[in-house]
Amino acid sequence: MMRITLMLLPLLLAACSQPPKDIQETRFMMGTLVTFTVAGSDATKAKAGIRDAAAEMQRVDTEFTIYGNSDNAVKRFNAAPVGKAVLLPPEVATLLQTALTVQQQSGGALDPMLGKLDKLWGFSSETPRQHPPSEAEIQAALPPRQCLRQTPQGYVRLDPRCQLDFGAFAKGYAIDRGIAMLRKHGIRNAIVNAGGDMRIIGDHDGRPWHIGIRHPRKAEGVIGTLALSGDVSIVTSGDYERFFIDHGRRYHHILDPATGWPAMASESVTVIAPNATLADAWSTAIFVRGVTFLPQASTHDLAVLIVDRNGRIHANAAMQRRLQHTN
Ligand code: AMP
Ligand code: MG
């Protein structure tokens, strides 16, 4: 009898020390698959957190999109007469301020006012183009440098070509809001992954989360892997995400505000930043700037990996420190 008890005990202990299983759920939203992974939490808490995080991210998408039929403050601003002051809701004004800061810090590579140009190119439309627009059409949609004036009564559009477009960083902001919602539920270890753009918090049963950076030209290929824990946001902008090929040339959804044409400096740019909003804004901006921006990246607290237009890989010191291995 005694012997049986002793033998059972280690087995029971082993069973008790098993970490709780990850809870994982995937939803389609913001035009992509969003996967929520929660580790080290009981299932009921994890599922309630994921439900609220998904609802919050859906809300953000609806508030900020310039597409679809539903009404929002961004669309109303874009439709307001030039010269008229319009009050933006605090959440929209705050995100716009973040974008204007990155616009200034990136030398104009990020432009939150190119909604009209974005619609002309149509990469986010239901019926995408097969051929590029004409130069005259581009000039009629390309916003000038001075697009906005801030007044006590609100923001003023200075030109009909100036229309808000949060497409370059709304997904990152949604990810940040999703993580905030998980934390509100007491969840400490999680990933919110929206089509490869993600924020990770905590760890995976005491070990880091392992994340691969995908190769822009090899669908299953990985450039390198990262072992991440704590609070890390990582976002990639790539010319393979939304594009068409015409006469052997690739036209894609990241536009150079200097020309109105797709930016030609990079194939993909991966950025690690303090939050997903910044990682998303900067990945788009650095995609436009290309490797010339790399030396400045650390002054903005960014780890950056660039695959340039020739397929060559460049990483700043902050990214090299984090990369486990490169292929
Ligand atoms: P991302 O995939 O995060 O690099 O963002 C690309 C999206 O941001 C596009 O679909 C446009 O809506 C918008 N966009 C494209 N080029 C720019 C740019 N230079 N600055 C700001 N937004 C842009
Ligand atoms: Mg972006």
Side-chain angles (χ1 to χ4, degrees), residues 45-106:
K45 184 159 94 172
K47 285 183 176 161
I50 290 171
R51 186 197 58 223
D52 285 0
E56 170 67 358
M57 292 172 75
Q58 187 59 59
R59 181 193 69 78
V60 168
D61 187 35
T62 309
E63 288 296 313
F64 287 95
T65 186
I66 57 170
Y67 291 95
N69 298 322
S70 60
D71 178 50
N72 66 26
V74 176
K75 290 178 189 171
R76 282 196 297 277
F77 181 80
N78 287 346
V82 168
K84 182 176 188 285
V86 179
L87 264 185
L88 292 171
E91 186 183 34
V92 177
T94 302
L95 198 55
L96 176 58
Q97 277 307 323
T98 303
L100 292 172
T101 303
V102 175
Q103 178 178 31
Q104 190 253 324
Q105 291 174 337
S106 67

Side-chain angles (χ1 to χ4, degrees), residues 21-26 35-39 46-47 50 191 209:
K21 273 208 167 71
D22 293 355
I23 304 292
Q24 197 166 71
E25 285 186 25
T26 299
T35 300
F36 301 86
T37 307
V38 173
K47 285 183 176 161
I50 290 171
I191 302 181
W209 298 98

Side-chain angles (χ1 to χ4, degrees), residues 125-193:
S125 312
E126 302 221 327
T127 48
R129 279 178 175 275
Q130 313 282 318
H131 310 286
S134 70
E135 183 61 38
E137 287 175 303
I138 289 174
Q139 290 308 322
L142 185 64
R145 273 243 154 186
Q146 275 303 96
C147 248
L148 278 180
R149 194 169 60 238
Q150 199 179 2
T151 73
Q153 290 76 39
Y155 283 94
V156 181
R157 289 167 68 213
L158 299 176
D159 187 286
R161 293 166 293 180
C162 301
Q163 294 192 358
L164 289 169
D165 177 10
F166 288 83
F169 42 91
K171 202 208 284 180
Y173 178 65
I175 292 170
D176 287 338
R177 293 299 310 148
I179 286 288
M181 210 43 101
L182 294 178
R183 281 184 164 147
K184 217 165 143 184
H185 281 261
I187 292 164
R188 294 170 195 278
N189 307 293
I191 302 181
V192 176
N193 179 347

Side-chain angles (χ1 to χ4, degrees), residues 167-169 235 237 279-284:
F169 42 91
V235 173
S237 286
D280 199 2
W282 276 109
S283 69
T284 306

Side-chain angles (χ1 to χ4, degrees), residues 109-111 114 118 165 167-168 237 241-242 253-255 257 280 284:
L110 185 84
D111 187 345
L114 44 68
D118 180 46
D165 177 10
S237 286
E241 294 174 301
R242 275 174 271 158
H253 74 304
I254 303 169
L255 305 170
D280 199 2
T284 306

